[in-house]
Amino acid sequence: MSMDLDAPVAIAPLPVTQQKSATILCYNCGAPIDGTSSAGALCYDCVKLTVDISEGIQREATLHICRDCDRWLQPPAHWITAAPESRELLALCLRKLRGLSKARIIDASFIWTEPHSRRVKVKITIQQEAFQGTILQQTFEVEYVVAYHQCPDCAKSYTANTWRAVVQVRQKVPHKRTFLYLEQLILKHSAHKDTINIKEVKDGLDFYYAQRNHAEKFVDFLTSVAPVRSKKSQELISMDIHTSSKSYKFSFSVELVPICKDDLVALPIKLAKSIGNIAPLTICYRVGTSVNLLDPNTLQTADVSTPIYWRSPFTSLADVQELVEFVVMDIEPLGPTKGRFLLAEATVARASDLGVNDKTYFTRTHLGGVLHPGDSVLGYHLTGTNFNNPQFEALEESNAYASSIPDVMLVKKFYARKKKNKSRNWRLKRMNKDEGEMLPKKQDQERMERDYEMFLRDVEEDQELRSTVALYKAQQKKRERDRMEGIEKESVAETEGTEDEEVPKINMDELLDEFDELNVGDEQ
């Protein structure tokens, strides 16, 4: 038999042998498991039942909150602000738990509790490797007890002489109208939120702070809203000779320009020429970051900035307490206007001279848009008045300006109010101030009430001034009680009745609602 070498030979494939994994039984429930990958001879379900990966993690903890400032204590001594159920409060809760750093946090959320229960519940989901190759995930709850603890800042605020910085605001004027306006600006912008005490002193206010940077921030605010100059001083309280650490108390002296709205101002002649060649005898019609002056004869305006004023300071020639009431006999507009001012020629007579003599005065005024024959107007009577003022004496001796000094300078329209104590439908907020150890005298109290009533009338009459302050609706219950008892609160002011029809009124659209007066409820 011969063999053909070229014929194909069939070769049978080798059989594939499948590798069988080692299988054992779970010693707890008897379920078959892979013996090579299951550590501890337990199946996955038995591992979840017998192994607790949250062991060693606290299930109860305590949170401390200051009930005065609503801040939470973050150990060891840091206080943070966190709203209920916020991310910041959740992070604080997780940091409070011991043993949580060993596990991986998958999820954390708050569980609703009653607000008055003083309990905070958090549901936490973690992952951790129980055995080699076996990762478990578990969810559990942690309950926190909210405890009250006073923070050091609030503790200092209730203790005397614990301030670190003081801002002393002063203005040497005989009335408080500028401080009343400044108080409204501070309240509107919440610039007083960091103060620990506000004390009322002669010619001004003292604002006390626990930190130096808060006082510097308040000084910057005053500089941005009023013409002021400030000085800083410091006093060494204590020093540690071993570490060379020193403790200081800082004082900031802030002085306001002693010129107020509606004041009569006699400018130095050199200064008047340098700010636009305005007439030296002017009226201050607004005080912002600079002093705004107006010449009633030409409607020319000029601004005296804060650095220019303090370079050569001067005082006002007369203030609002020296205003005299005049009656308009005749008025004729001349045509030129500038904003709300209208130039006019008026013939006026003193209200006290009516029926006594027939003396009248002819003058130019910027109030041509609001005055009519028969109206009352307040102004400064310059004829026969002696002023102890070097700038005014220079005007009288000047050949260029001596002949231009008018007899009368009208300032604003006068609205006769028939009732003295009336409730207004709007009110202003007031700051809580410490009056000191001694209460003000009776005459001082009457002067303060008179200044406040004058400021309220300015708010009613001046729309531009009204736009810079926050007016609130007066509470209806208080108005009814005040009307029945005949009592007027200092912080509540009132619109005029039907008998005072010419008195300016404030629209209800300009008033704000207070948040504590807004009640949300279902209407039945």
Side-chain angles (χ1 to χ4, degrees):
M1 177 177 165
S2 63
M3 181 180 293
D4 191 357
L5 296 177
D6 295 332
V9 178
I11 300 176
L14 294 175
V16 179
T17 58
Q18 293 184 355
Q19 215 172 17
K20 295 184 179 179
S21 60
T23 302
I24 63 174
L25 299 179
C26 173
Y27 77 84
N28 189 28
C29 64
I33 55 176
D34 186 2
T36 60
S37 60
S38 60
L42 285 172
C43 64
Y44 184 71
D45 294 333
C46 291
V47 169
K48 291 195 295 182
L49 292 175
T50 57
V51 178
D52 184 13
I53 61 174
S54 65
E55 185 179 2
I57 301 176
Q58 290 178 277
R59 298 303 175 95
E60 293 182 354
T62 304
L63 296 175
H64 293 91
I65 183 175
C66 177
R67 68 172 70 192
D68 295 321
C69 60
D70 292 335
R71 293 190 299 173
W72 301 84
L73 175 62
Q74 180 176 324
H78 186 56
W79 292 83
I80 62 172
T81 303
E85 299 191 5
S86 62
R87 296 167 59 94
E88 293 80 6
L89 184 58
L90 183 60
L92 177 62
C93 293
L94 296 180
R95 291 193 193 101
K96 291 282 290 184
L97 297 181
R98 292 194 301 268
L100 193 60
S101 59
K102 300 178 182 179
R104 179 186 178 188
I105 302 175
I106 301 300
D107 186 26
S109 61
F110 287 99
I111 300 176
W112 186 85
T113 56
E114 290 287 347
H116 61 273
S117 64
R118 293 172 59 186
R119 297 292 186 274
V120 176
K121 291 185 177 180
V122 179
K123 183 173 69 173
I124 305 174
T125 302
I126 61 173
Q127 277 186 356
Q128 192 176 2
E129 187 177 16
F131 302 103
Q132 184 178 4
T134 304
I135 298 177
L136 295 183
Q137 180 171 315
Q138 187 175 346
T139 302
F140 59 96
E141 296 181 5
V142 180
E143 182 177 349
Y144 297 86
V145 179
V146 179
Y148 292 124
H149 183 76
Q150 193 176 40
C151 66
D153 295 337
C154 293
K156 286 182 179 180
S157 65
Y158 288 101
T159 307
N161 302 322
T162 58
W163 54 273
R164 184 57 57 89
V166 59
V167 180
Q168 300 171 337
V169 186
R170 299 291 185 270
Q171 187 185 33
K172 295 178 174 59
V173 291
H175 56 81
K176 295 281 187 179
R177 290 172 60 218
T178 303
F179 276 101
L180 292 172
Y181 176 63
L182 187 62
E183 176 185 7
Q184 297 304 316
L185 291 179
I186 293 173
L187 289 171
K188 183 178 181 180
H189 296 89
S190 299
H192 65 301
K193 61 181 180 179
D194 296 323
T195 58
I196 59 176
N197 190 20
I198 302 174
K199 183 177 292 186
E200 189 169 3
V201 295
K202 184 182 179 182
D203 295 335
L205 296 170
D206 287 347
F207 296 84
Y208 295 91
Y209 294 90
Q211 297 181 18
R212 171 186 171 186
N213 57 345
H214 291 164
E216 292 176 343
K217 182 179 177 182
F218 183 69
V219 172
D220 293 339
F221 169 78
L222 294 178
T223 307
S224 65
V225 298
V228 300
R229 68 172 176 180
S230 60
K231 294 181 181 179
K232 174 187 170 184
S233 63
Q234 59 187 23
E235 179 185 0
L236 179 64
I237 303 301
S238 61
M239 182 179 67
D240 189 349
I241 60 175
H242 301 287
T243 61
S244 296
S245 60
K246 302 176 183 179
S247 177
Y248 289 94
K249 279 190 174 182
F250 300 91
S251 298
F252 297 86
S253 176
V254 179
E255 184 179 357
L256 276 75
V257 171
I259 296 177
C260 304
K261 182 177 176 290
D262 298 334
D263 281 0
L264 180 63
V265 179
L267 295 172
I269 296 177
K270 185 178 179 181
L271 177 61
K273 292 181 178 180
S274 65
I275 58 175
N277 200 22
I278 191 174
L281 198 59
T282 58
I283 293 175
C284 176
Y285 70 95
R286 184 177 58 212
V287 177
T289 54
S290 60
V291 180
N292 305 119
L293 303 174
L294 169 70
D295 180 14
N297 294 320
T298 60
L299 296 187
Q300 182 181 355
T301 58
D303 296 342
V304 180
S305 61
T306 305
I308 292 177
Y309 176 84
W310 291 115
R311 199 175 304 152
S312 56
F314 54 90
T315 58
S316 59
L317 190 61
D319 55 33
V320 291
Q321 296 181 350
E322 302 175 33
L323 288 173
V324 180
E325 182 182 353
F326 293 89
V327 177
V328 180
M329 311 302 293
D330 187 21
I331 187 167
E332 182 180 352
L334 297 181
T337 61
K338 190 168 188 178
R340 56 192 174 98
F341 303 132
L342 173 62
L343 188 62
E345 292 181 345
T347 302
V348 298
R350 291 182 59 176
S352 59
D353 291 343
L354 294 180
V356 179
N357 54 48
D358 297 334
K359 192 170 184 179
T360 59
Y361 303 94
F362 180 79
T363 183
R364 279 192 171 190
T365 179
H366 59 290
L367 303 174
V370 295
L371 293 182
H372 304 89
D375 289 347
S376 296
V377 61
L378 296 177
Y380 294 104
H381 191 204
L382 304 182
T383 301
T385 305
N386 294 325
F387 295 105
N388 186 14
N389 187 281
Q391 287 82 21
F392 188 73
E393 292 176 0
L395 291 182
E396 292 180 328
E397 297 173 358
S398 172
N399 296 328
Y401 299 107
S403 60
S404 63
I405 298 177
D407 296 331
V408 173
M409 290 191 72
L410 304 181
V411 177
K412 60 181 179 179
K413 186 176 179 179
F414 178 68
Y415 298 93
R417 289 167 169 83
K418 297 180 181 179
K419 292 184 179 179
K420 182 180 178 182
N421 293 332
K422 275 197 272 200
S423 225
R424 297 177 169 91
N425 64 350
W426 58 275
R427 72 187 187 93
L428 298 174
K429 282 188 175 180
R430 302 298 304 273
M431 287 191 303
N432 294 326
K433 291 174 288 201
D434 185 7
E435 296 180 350
E437 298 179 358
M438 298 185 64
L439 295 176
K441 299 178 182 179
K442 185 177 180 180
Q443 56 266 28
D444 294 339
Q445 187 70 25
E446 293 176 353
R447 180 176 57 83
M448 293 169 60
E449 293 178 0
R450 186 171 61 252
D451 291 342
Y452 186 64
E453 177 63 25
M454 189 180 299
F455 175 70
L456 293 178
R457 294 184 180 183
D458 287 343
V459 172
E460 284 179 339
E461 298 169 6
D462 193 347
Q463 185 176 1
E464 185 177 354
L465 174 65
R466 194 162 61 239
S467 62
T468 59
V469 300
L471 306 178
Y472 296 89
K473 295 178 181 178
Q475 298 180 10
Q476 187 68 22
K477 295 180 180 179
K478 286 187 178 180
R479 281 194 293 160
E480 292 177 357
R481 184 172 65 250
D482 294 346
R483 190 180 299 111
M484 293 178 64
E485 298 178 359
I487 298 175
E488 181 188 24
K489 302 281 184 183
E490 277 190 4
S491 60
V492 176
E494 238 177 284
T495 54
E496 314 305 341
T498 56
E499 53 193 7
D500 299 334
E501 295 181 356
E502 295 184 359
V503 176
K505 296 180 177 61
I506 298 179
N507 297 327
M508 296 296 291
D509 298 338
E510 302 180 31
L511 306 181
L512 303 175
D513 287 314
E514 291 197 70
F515 288 107
D516 54 358
E517 296 176 6
L518 295 177
N519 297 322
V520 179
D522 297 332
E523 295 184 0
Q524 298 295 333

